[in-house]
Amino acid sequence: MTITKEFASALVMTGLIAFFGCQVNIPQEEYTRLAPKTLLWLMAALNVVQYVLAFIRYRQKSDKVLSLKGYPLKRVAILLALTVLFVGVADRLGFYLASFIYFFLASLIAQPMPITPKLLVRRFFIVLASIAFLYGLFTVALSVQIPRGLLGF
């Protein structure tokens, strides 16, 4: 059985919508679920468009068959495991510290470049700037309560 790239991405989107849809149904006040529900409905509508496009491209024979040859499955699996680990420790370690470690490691793993001291320093400062931006946005500007963790930040 072959599957086209367009159809595969539509299936992945359906899975994401189903996963996040299950998370939204946690008992909360109705007004707090309004934005996530609206986003899920919008994602579902776009997902229907994805399926229509997949069907059209399949009929026109313009979509490519999905091939995993040369795809860095090991790297993607490591990034997925790192993401699951990040979600699991963000509350205990603190959002900003966990995010810093996650962003730094993910940026090194995701890029196939050789790791050099110069690259490590550049990534460190890029990640530091990203975390500073998140701090300014969430903590300072929006006053959102972020998990502080064991170290208090």
Side-chain angles (χ1 to χ4, degrees):
M1 180 181 140
T2 61
I3 186 168
T4 62
K5 288 183 179 182
E6 193 79 38
F7 187 68
S9 69
L11 285 174
V12 169
M13 182 65 130
T14 301
L16 288 172
I17 292 169
F19 175 76
F20 288 114
C22 292
Q23 306 299 320
V24 171
N25 290 329
I26 297 171
Q28 297 172 347
E29 298 292 328
E30 186 60 33
Y31 68 90
T32 61
R33 288 189 288 182
L34 182 62
K37 280 186 173 182
T38 304
L39 287 174
L40 282 171
W41 279 107
L42 179 62
M43 287 171 62
L46 291 174
N47 193 222
V48 169
V49 172
Q50 274 186 308
Y51 281 109
V52 170
L53 283 174
F55 179 74
I56 290 170
R57 289 190 178 140
Y58 176 75
R59 299 285 286 173
Q60 294 175 345
K61 306 285 188 218
S62 65
D63 197 7
K64 294 185 169 83
V65 173
L66 182 63
S67 171
L68 295 178
K69 184 179 180 184
Y71 192 74
L73 288 175
K74 182 179 178 183
R75 186 173 298 162
V76 172
I78 292 170
L79 287 170
L80 180 64
L82 186 63
T83 303
V84 169
L85 183 66
F86 165 73
V87 170
V89 301
D91 280 342
R92 288 182 220 100
L93 198 56
F95 176 76
Y96 296 116
L97 181 59
S99 295
F100 181 84
I101 294 167
Y102 172 75
F103 290 168
F104 186 73
L105 292 176
S107 72
L108 295 175
I109 294 167
Q111 292 293 324
M113 299 178 207
I115 297 174
T116 63
K118 183 179 177 180
L119 178 73
L120 289 173
V121 171
R122 278 185 43 213
R123 294 289 164 88
F124 176 83
F125 285 111
I126 290 170
V127 170
L128 191 63
S130 300
I131 297 301
F133 172 77
L134 290 176
Y135 177 80
L137 177 66
F138 291 121
T139 304
V140 177
L142 298 175
S143 300
V144 175
Q145 289 187 345
I146 300 294
R148 293 194 175 266
L150 299 173
L151 301 176
F153 58 89

